[in-house]
Amino acid sequence: MATPSLAEFEQSFYHLKRQGTTNNPKTVTVLVIAWEPRNQSTPLTNGIALDQLIFGRTNSVAHYFQEVSQGRFNIVPFAPRPVVGPFKSVQPAEFYSRLPPFAPPTNPTDPNYYLDRTGEFSGGPTRANTLCYLDSDGFVDGYMHSWKEAIQLASAQGGVNFTLLDHDGDGEFSPDDGVVLIVKPWTAEGGYHREVWQSQIPKKTLTVNNVRIKQITEVYANPQPNYSDGIMAVIIEELLHALVRYIDQYPDGKVRLDNDPRRPGQYSISDAGWLPVHVDPFHKLKWGWLNPQLVTTSGSYQLREAAMTGDALILFGHKGTKEFFILENRFRGASFDRFRNPICGDGLALWDCIQDENLTIDWGRRALHLKRADPRLDINGLVQDDLALFDGTDPSRSYELYDDSYPQNLRFDDHQESSICIAKVSAAGPSMTVTIKMGKRRPEPNVSAAAWLSLLLAPEPTKGSTAAWLSLL
């Protein structure tokens, strides 16, 4: 097999593509629209604090993108207003949540009566024949109605001209231009990335200023006493979904269970439990946000903290680009990785990355796995987050790693040998060293040079001396 190039590992896969370079950073607009139900008894939007949370110079969503991308991908606000609004809704809150008096009517002659025979608007085929409230604008989903309304209010009252936001001039406000982020004040926080329409019945594309808008990001955020780091994490993750096609990795109870030791946990933001930590290196590799080194020869390698430098090692075997490992130094320091639970510590993170066209559905849970230093579950059947990273100061996390090592090994996901060996992991810190042995199925014998020399100079091996040779292996 010919040795693959670094460019081949960086090639687009799973619909991920390069998002900016050092010499040509990518910049997109995040249009923040604050929208509030007019009669809702919840905290009101804090526009100044929301601006700081998203676009502040430090400890903000914009700062996160700058750090994680190594300065190659930046978000900027709509000029001249970072937060457009807040706008009061046209209808009362009950209208959008479809509560009385806007509950689904039971009388087929009622103009708001709609029977969702296929379940298209009600959650799928299992919800077929669901009664719905159809409003005069053609919406069954009241929340979707609120998204269209917020965008139209931003254009009519907020001074937003979507023609100016269509940077590539293709008539659509697409992820290459930016995203609409609608923020609603609410005590129960969360975020979503959704389609938006002019109407659902009949289905019409939303067009404003002759520009098509097909997707939005919606966030529910509690502004009191202030916007939290948790809601910052929610906004970051939803923008990653919308702008660069980041995929969900948290356990879904089907493909990946809570006690799956291969789950990313706090080492990729989707599975970090509302902590604004870094994403895994596979996504970064495809976006062009790493500074990776392709390991083609055995030797000692240095890994600086990945969060601040983008350093990573790509280790590959006979499968080439179809399955390979990425090794990175997840030292927290002052980076966004500092939001990890202290129990997670610092050290080297090892990732198993599979590129398979048959795994494109839900590939984040099927094709990307964290190989923890100790993947064994604790006595309660839970993943041990404190034993995930390799650290030379802990014998249980600094053993020589190869195809048949234990408790972790370097076999591929289908149990084939990789013939790679990882050894001599240094102490965790902002700079670490590690020895990589390519083409090794097992560790080198721990034998002194004097012992080898004494046998090399011995007479022709006899049965006894052969046993002496074998004793060194």
Side-chain angles (χ1 to χ4, degrees):
M1 179 191 72
T3 300
S5 66
L6 180 58
E8 290 178 273
F9 286 95
E10 293 176 322
Q11 282 180 353
S12 176
F13 208 89
Y14 297 131
H15 304 292
L16 302 177
K17 66 178 184 179
R18 182 175 291 276
Q19 301 285 348
T21 65
T22 300
N23 294 328
N24 187 24
K26 185 172 182 177
T27 300
V28 298
T29 301
V30 176
L31 173 60
V32 181
I33 304 174
W35 182 95
E36 301 171 350
R38 67 186 186 193
N39 63 329
Q40 181 174 287
S41 58
T42 59
L44 300 181
T45 302
N46 184 335
I48 295 176
L50 189 59
D51 175 17
Q52 176 61 35
L53 177 76
I54 300 175
F55 300 113
R57 293 187 61 185
T58 60
N59 200 37
S60 67
V61 176
H63 180 202
Y64 176 93
F65 274 91
Q66 185 179 49
E67 178 181 297
V68 170
S69 71
Q70 305 300 311
R72 297 161 192 170
F73 189 95
N74 301 296
I75 66 168
V76 295
F78 165 74
R81 300 174 63 185
V83 178
V84 181
F87 301 107
K88 292 296 184 181
S89 66
V90 175
Q91 301 287 347
E94 294 81 6
F95 174 84
Y96 305 97
S97 54
R98 297 305 195 238
L99 295 175
F102 306 100
T106 57
N107 183 358
T109 64
D110 190 309
N112 300 119
Y113 176 93
Y114 183 80
L115 182 63
D116 187 3
R117 297 186 183 280
T118 64
E120 177 183 359
F121 307 108
S122 308
T126 60
R127 301 292 304 278
N129 296 315
T130 296
L131 281 177
C132 302
Y133 181 97
L134 175 64
D135 62 40
S136 59
D137 280 4
F139 284 96
V140 169
D141 187 328
Y143 296 103
M144 187 175 289
H145 189 146
S146 75
W147 306 334
K148 182 199 80 163
E149 181 180 294
I151 291 171
Q152 291 179 332
L153 287 170
S155 175
Q157 300 179 22
V160 177
N161 185 342
F162 281 91
T163 303
L164 302 179
L165 297 179
D166 177 21
H167 302 304
D168 55 14
D170 64 352
E172 180 178 334
F173 187 51
S174 68
D176 284 330
D177 303 309
V179 67
V180 174
L181 173 62
I182 299 173
V183 181
K184 300 178 179 179
W186 197 254
T187 53
E189 298 181 317
Y192 309 91
H193 176 54
R194 296 286 188 263
E195 292 181 336
V196 63
W197 299 90
Q198 176 70 33
S199 69
Q200 289 180 288
I201 303 172
K203 188 164 282 187
K204 296 180 181 178
T205 299
L206 177 60
T207 302
V208 182
N209 306 130
N210 295 316
V211 175
R212 299 181 302 276
I213 305 167
K214 296 183 177 180
Q215 299 180 33
I216 61 94
T217 293
E218 178 187 43
V219 169
Y220 293 85
N222 187 351
Q224 295 184 355
N226 208 335
Y227 293 108
S228 66
D229 293 332
I231 201 61
M232 176 169 63
V234 171
I235 294 173
I236 289 168
E237 182 181 349
E238 296 306 326
L239 292 184
L240 285 168
H241 290 317
L243 295 170
V244 291
R245 306 191 75 161
Y246 179 56
I247 195 167
D248 283 329
Q249 297 168 288
Y250 56 82
D252 62 348
K254 299 175 183 178
V255 176
R256 173 155 283 161
L257 303 179
D258 287 344
N259 65 348
D260 184 349
R262 303 180 304 167
R263 61 182 287 188
Q266 294 184 26
Y267 304 98
S268 197
I269 190 171
S270 172
D271 193 23
W274 288 30
L275 298 174
V277 300
H278 275 240
V279 300
D280 61 86
F282 181 81
H283 277 93
K284 291 183 182 180
L285 177 71
K286 297 302 179 181
W287 296 332
W289 297 357
L290 279 186
N291 295 315
Q293 182 177 358
L294 189 62
V295 176
T296 58
T297 59
S298 300
S300 178
Y301 292 84
Q302 179 189 29
L303 278 170
R304 298 171 299 169
E305 52 185 315
M308 304 304 287
T309 68
D311 275 11
L313 298 179
I314 297 177
L315 315 177
F316 68 96
H318 69 276
K319 291 193 174 187
T321 60
K322 293 183 178 180
E323 184 172 1
F324 54 94
F325 304 113
I326 299 181
L327 192 62
E328 60 172 354
N329 178 1
R330 292 301 290 268
F331 181 76
R332 289 171 296 176
S335 74
F336 276 88
D337 263 354
R338 72 186 185 276
F339 287 100
R340 289 203 315 261
N341 189 316
I343 196 175
C344 294
D346 299 306
L348 300 184
L350 177 65
W351 300 84
D352 185 2
C353 308
I354 305 168
Q355 299 193 136
D356 185 342
E357 295 289 354
N358 295 317
L359 299 179
T360 53
I361 297 176
D362 209 4
W363 68 266
R365 300 182 177 101
R366 303 170 66 199
L368 183 58
H369 310 299
L370 178 64
K371 293 181 78 73
R372 296 170 183 263
D374 190 341
R376 294 173 295 185
L377 303 179
D378 66 15
I379 58 173
N380 297 313
L382 302 176
V383 175
Q384 302 185 85
D385 288 328
D386 57 326
L387 300 179
L389 303 180
F390 292 86
D391 177 5
T393 63
D394 182 356
S396 68
R397 295 185 290 138
S398 59
Y399 55 92
E400 200 151 321
L401 194 62
Y402 58 103
D403 285 329
D404 295 317
S405 56
Y406 182 83
Q408 187 57 272
N409 64 71
L410 272 175
R411 287 181 178 267
F412 290 123
D413 194 55
D414 60 2
H415 306 296
Q416 291 188 44
E417 294 181 341
S418 70
S419 300
I420 301 170
C421 184
I422 297 176
K424 299 180 181 178
V425 176
S426 69
S431 179
M432 296 180 66
T433 56
V434 61
T435 296
I436 308 296
K437 304 173 185 179
M438 305 296 290
K440 297 292 184 181
R441 289 183 170 83
R442 53 180 175 159
E444 295 287 358
N446 186 18
V447 181
S448 68
W452 281 110
L453 183 61
S454 64
L455 284 175
L456 286 172
L457 298 178
E460 189 69 22
T462 62
K463 182 176 181 179
S465 59
T466 300
W469 278 97
L470 293 175
S471 70
L472 298 181
L473 300 178

